[in-house]
Amino acid sequence: MPMPNLMLLYVEDPPASARFYEALFEQPPAAVYPTYAAFESAQGWHLGLWSSKARDFVSGGSGHRAEITFLVPGDEQVLALYERWHALGVAIEQPPHHAVFGLTFVALDPDGHRIRVCTPDG
């Protein structure tokens, strides 16, 4: 089972947030789009900044929200985890679909925390 290695933060303006984190991390983002920006660490962790105004954004929450994300090598692994978790009865908030960063789905833990599975962007 892969370990989580991407933290997504919901932000109003990803390019502006990317500039903020670039200053904090002293490192440029790996990717910047109007609705998404991403940073990579040498330790394998990633930070994604996703606009809550993005076309593909769906969340029933409000206020400060976040996701635990599993980055997997390819679309096959995204679909395999979806099938496995679905078979286990895990609640699915968003079934597999293509977003700006690729194939993805969102599951919910028993407390309603969002768990995303997707491939790395770029």
Side-chain angles (χ1 to χ4, degrees):
M1 183 64 174
M3 293 299 296
N5 55 6
L6 169 65
M7 179 68 180
L8 283 176
L9 299 178
Y10 303 155
V11 299
E12 290 292 316
D13 184 345
S17 292
R19 290 189 295 274
F20 172 82
Y21 282 103
E22 182 173 0
L24 290 185
F25 299 154
E26 298 180 347
Q27 168 184 326
V32 178
Y33 303 101
T35 58
Y36 184 76
F39 288 87
E40 299 176 358
S41 77
Q43 296 79 25
W45 271 91
H46 302 264
L47 173 66
L49 306 167
W50 195 6
S51 172
S52 58
K53 298 174 186 168
R55 184 192 74 209
D56 297 318
F57 181 83
V58 174
S59 176
S62 63
H64 297 287
R65 298 164 285 158
E67 298 178 348
I68 297 170
T69 302
F70 292 85
L71 293 176
V72 296
D75 290 355
E76 302 80 22
Q77 289 84 3
V78 172
L79 295 173
L81 279 177
Y82 171 77
E83 293 298 329
R84 182 170 177 263
W85 291 5
H86 184 70
L88 290 172
V90 173
I92 303 296
E93 184 176 51
Q94 276 186 294
H97 68 282
H98 288 278
V100 65
F101 46 82
L103 186 65
T104 185
F105 76 91
V106 177
L108 300 174
D109 76 6
D111 295 299
H113 296 112
R114 293 165 58 89
I115 304 167
R116 180 174 300 278
V117 176
C118 63
T119 58
D121 45 79

